[in-house]
Amino acid sequence: MDLDQLDQQFDRAAFEAEKYALREALFGTEDVLPMWVADMDLPTPPFVIEAIQQRLQHPILGYTHTSDHVYQSIADWQVQYGYEVHRKQIVFTHNVANGFFLAVQAYTQPGDAVLVQPPVYPPFLKAPELNNRRVIEAPLMLQNNRYQIDFDAFEKAIVEQQVKLFLFCHPQNPSGRAWQKDELQKLAAICLKHRVIVVSDEIHADMTFPPNVHCPMASLSPEIAQNTVTLSSPGKTFNLGGLQMGYAIIANPQLKKAYVKTANSVSIHDWNLFAQIAVQAAYSEEGKLWRDNLLVHFQRNFDALESFLAVHMPKVKMMRPEASYLVWLDFREQFGTHAELKKWLIEEAKLGLNDGESFGGQSQSGSGFMRINLAVPTTIMQQAISQLRNALSVI
């Protein structure tokens, strides 16, 4: 991939792209640059498009059996993380969020406690709540602009609330924190000790920046694998969200049986035809090269925003991602209230970002924060910085 190609802009508003179509509903105006929902304003890889186009040469788009090649592409992709996956362990979901909604239903009963670590991707908070489970929070600690786990508080919450299930965001969203092996081992040990099933959302794993290395929770040991459900998808890395594709990897036969039973109850069992084609093209050696080049582009965008903030808005703390293209911004020293921050971003900077409060849960750990999506062409990155610069006069 020629990185210069990423300067090209595409008209997504004309094709009902969610981040454009919902501007009025979310921000009260269409006059904002949408940098919120986690898909890219960058093209899906050409080799994925070509694979789909080749299939379209056949005039029938009927029911399609999922071939062994689809399963094998997923298993082969995980090898780069030292994670050995077998075909029989893979269960298809419609996306990763759908995957942990299914897990909540499969492994808990109404009234049971499900543990989350805010600030966190909002569906983590919604999945237990919408299924009449109790949401138990063990908030992350912010130390020196980097999130840490309070392991004592984590275990205390499990014991006191009789937690049955832990929804783990790995790498962390919204902060882009890449959890280290020793941290994973501590979490896993606590969960094993208290018989808490771990559901590990690893959808951002492919976008881990060196020297950080993604370590799948289930790869730590056979015992931990038996207690872990891993969720992932090529959707984020290759901009395939519209194909609605996710998968669970479940080594424990009993956990898999319960998961499949729940999925079958709502007739979720296979991917659509184009998802099957896309994953085989994406999860390839060509896909790895594409991903590696894409990470270079993301780093350039991080550099641009970081440099601007350091000079023009030094009170705003940018949490540089260790994984993913999503950036968590701390505006608390710049604005007195969250409402003032939202008003300034929409009316003056004309930027549509993810509201930090939606990630915070009862702990309100997202108040004063915003999440910005930097998977954009260089030209859009420059436009966003220009709009921030122009809005400085009214702070």
Side-chain angles (χ1 to χ4, degrees), residues 9 19 36 62 77 101 123 125 129 133 180 182 199 228 234-235 256 276 305 307 313 315 319 353 386:
Q9 289 186 233
K19 66 173 63 172
W36 58 288
W77 188 256
F101 272 74
L125 302 164
E129 177 185 307
R133 276 64 167 173
Q180 303 302 305
D182 63 326
V199 176
T228 302
K256 182 189 173 186
Q276 295 180 37
L305 181 58
S307 296
M313 300 184 74
K315 291 183 180 180
M319 199 172 296
L353 309 186
S386 177

Side-chain angles (χ1 to χ4, degrees), residues 237-255:
T237 310
F238 300 99
N239 212 14
L240 299 167
L243 295 185
Q244 293 296 303
M245 55 198 301
Y247 56 87
I249 302 171
I250 312 173
N252 184 317
Q254 293 305 115
L255 291 184

Side-chain angles (χ1 to χ4, degrees), residues 159-170:
V159 173
E160 292 185 350
Q161 300 296 330
Q162 297 181 311
V163 167
K164 296 290 194 299
L165 185 69
F166 169 40
L167 299 182
F168 182 39
C169 200
H170 169 44

Side-chain angles (χ1 to χ4, degrees), residues 296-368:
V296 174
H297 177 73
F298 293 158
Q299 294 276 31
R300 290 179 181 178
N301 282 350
F302 298 160
D303 289 343
L305 181 58
E306 196 169 51
S307 296
F308 170 79
L309 293 175
V311 174
H312 300 284
M313 300 184 74
K315 291 183 180 180
V316 178
K317 295 184 176 65
M318 170 180 158
M319 199 172 296
R320 190 177 181 108
E322 298 168 346
S324 98
Y325 50 71
L326 304 169
V327 176
W328 193 229
L329 298 172
D330 183 352
F331 288 91
R332 290 176 299 172
E333 291 184 16
Q334 186 74 67
F335 292 90
T337 67
H338 192 77
E340 291 172 359
L341 166 60
K342 289 176 63 175
K343 180 179 174 65
W344 179 78
L345 280 171
I346 295 171
E347 296 182 6
E348 304 299 338
K350 300 186 184 302
L351 292 176
L353 309 186
N354 280 102
D355 189 332
E357 288 192 335
S358 68
F359 297 82
Q362 293 298 316
S363 66
Q364 298 185 329
S365 53
S367 184

Side-chain angles (χ1 to χ4, degrees), residues 217-234:
M217 173 68 89
S219 72
L220 293 172
S221 73
E223 185 181 19
I224 293 170
Q226 290 294 306
N227 193 52
T228 302
V229 173
T230 302
L231 300 176
S232 195
S233 167

